[in-house]
């Protein structure tokens, strides 16, 4: 069985003191938790402080974004290597807010994925359709384009360590969750794309998370679906109790 991955994307929230306090609460709330792989993605400016708080705990740390170049004149950006040296083990790649608010292209997502792999970070590649695209019946087409572009030129051996997060854009931060059934179908479709690119064995080993208004009330139902291998949690990860409750739901699932 694939190990469930429960990740918290803090987005542009938490000042230094708040970030430390949340990390301390997670440390206390999740001490001794076994089963799911757990990580939080704080803003890069507090990443090293959060990583320090969480050292030696079951909670890993990741960056929300990286640039694909290793260094140079890219004002305001951070490289994969920098994120890693600040304590990140993971990085989100192509989150929908990066794509839709900041104009990140499929090609950038591909370059960032390769850069993350080169630096030894575990990439979490986010894909998902907008409401308009879903209403137009273009969900599969969009997801296919995003997945294929993201993994262009990536070898099977490297792809095996990549996590994909399916996040329908209309479900992010809206309180609307895709039904477990509809989500499962898209996950199966993504896995079939991965199988086509990397072979069945690699595709079966890869984890596909769901993201979009995941919360304690729906976590268990989502995680019970075959092929949903974890959750990428935004809003509900900003509160220690709700994030811990989601991890607990995943731990319960992992034991079944
Ligand atoms: P949400 O965000 O849980 O607040 O919908 C999820 C995400 O954007 O990763």
């Amino acid at each position: 069985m694939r190990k469930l991955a429960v990740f918290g994307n803090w987005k542009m929230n938490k000042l230094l003191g708040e970030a430390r306090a949340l990390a301390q609460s997670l440390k206390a709330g999740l001490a001794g938790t076994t089963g799911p792989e757990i990580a939080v993605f704080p803003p890069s400016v507090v990443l090293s402080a959060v990583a320090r708080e969480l050292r030696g705990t079951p909670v890993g740390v990741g960056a929300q974004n990286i640039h694909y170049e290793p260094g140079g004149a890219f004002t305001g950006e951070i490289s994969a290597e920098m994120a890693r040296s600040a304590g990140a083990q993971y990085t989100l790649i192509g989150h929908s807010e990066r794509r839709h608010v900041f104009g990140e292209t499929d090609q950038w997502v591909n370059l960032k994925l390769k850069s993350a792999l080169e630096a030894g970070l575990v990439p979490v590649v986010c894909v998902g359709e907008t409401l308009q695209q879903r209403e137009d019946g273009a969900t599969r087409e969009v997801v296919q384009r995003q997945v294929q572009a993201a993994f262009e030129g990536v070898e099977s051996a490297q792809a095996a360590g990549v996590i994909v997060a399916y996040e329908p854009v209309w479900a992010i931060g809206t309180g609307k969750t895709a039904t477990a059934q509809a989500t499962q179908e898209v996950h199966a479709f993504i896995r079939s794309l991965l199988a086509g690119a990397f072979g069945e064995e690699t595709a079966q080993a890869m984890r596909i998370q769901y993201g979009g208004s995941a919360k304690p009330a729906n976590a268990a139902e989502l995680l019970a679906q075959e092929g949903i291998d974890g959750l990428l949690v935004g809003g509900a990860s900003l509160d220690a109790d709700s994030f811990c409750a989601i991890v607990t739901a995943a731990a319960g699932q992992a034991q079944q």
Side-chain angles (χ1 to χ4, degrees):
M1 189 176 168
R2 290 178 290 270
K3 195 177 175 76
L4 297 177
V6 180
F7 294 170
N9 173 11
W10 294 0
K11 307 193 180 184
M12 197 172 76
N13 295 291
K14 306 291 177 190
L15 302 180
L16 178 60
E18 297 166 336
R20 277 209 182 108
L22 177 53
Q24 281 160 6
S25 302
L26 295 178
K27 186 174 176 172
L30 298 171
T33 302
T34 53
E37 187 171 327
I38 313 163
V40 293
F41 295 72
S44 59
V45 74
V46 302
L47 200 153
S48 63
V50 169
R52 213 170 302 128
E53 295 292 346
L54 293 173
R55 198 170 294 150
T57 76
V59 188
V61 177
Q64 296 176 12
N65 180 38
I66 51 162
H67 194 275
Y68 54 81
E69 290 288 352
F74 299 100
T75 302
E77 296 290 320
I78 61 165
S79 70
E81 202 65 63
M82 285 174 183
R84 196 177 143 103
S85 76
Q89 298 127 290
Y90 306 85
T91 182
L92 302 183
I93 307 271
H95 186 275
S96 74
E97 285 144 24
R98 298 301 317 169
R99 292 178 189 263
H100 298 293
V101 183
F102 300 103
E104 225 168 74
T105 63
D106 285 334
Q107 196 204 356
W108 279 34
V109 169
N110 176 246
L111 293 169
K112 288 179 179 203
L113 173 57
K114 289 174 177 162
S115 174
L117 287 168
E118 223 160 274
L121 293 174
V122 174
V124 183
V125 178
C126 306
V127 299
E129 80 287 1
T130 63
L131 182 58
Q132 187 63 53
Q133 289 165 334
R134 168 159 287 229
E135 284 172 351
D136 292 346
T139 297
R140 285 181 176 230
E141 188 189 313
V142 169
V143 167
Q144 178 164 5
R145 192 200 72 228
Q146 292 177 334
V147 170
Q148 288 176 342
F151 285 96
E152 177 78 43
V154 175
E155 303 290 331
S156 282
Q158 288 193 301
V162 178
I163 297 172
V164 176
Y166 169 56
E167 300 204 299
V169 179
W170 49 271
I172 296 178
T174 58
K176 292 183 195 154
T177 338
T179 64
Q181 173 68 24
T183 305
Q184 190 183 22
E185 279 172 26
V186 182
H187 279 234
F189 177 63
I190 293 172
R191 205 173 304 279
S192 73
L193 295 172
L194 297 172
F198 305 116
E200 194 59 43
E201 200 180 324
T202 299
Q204 286 303 330
M206 291 175 72
R207 274 140 345 137
I208 306 174
Q209 292 178 310
Y210 167 80
S213 298
K215 46 185 180 274
N218 59 23
E221 192 198 356
L222 287 162
L223 291 168
Q225 305 300 312
E226 166 64 31
I228 298 185
D229 307 315
L231 298 170
L232 180 54
V233 185
S237 73
L238 297 174
D239 174 73
D241 288 345
S242 68
F243 188 66
C244 291
I246 294 171
V247 173
T248 302
Q253 201 62 44
Q255 277 158 13
Q256 280 175 22

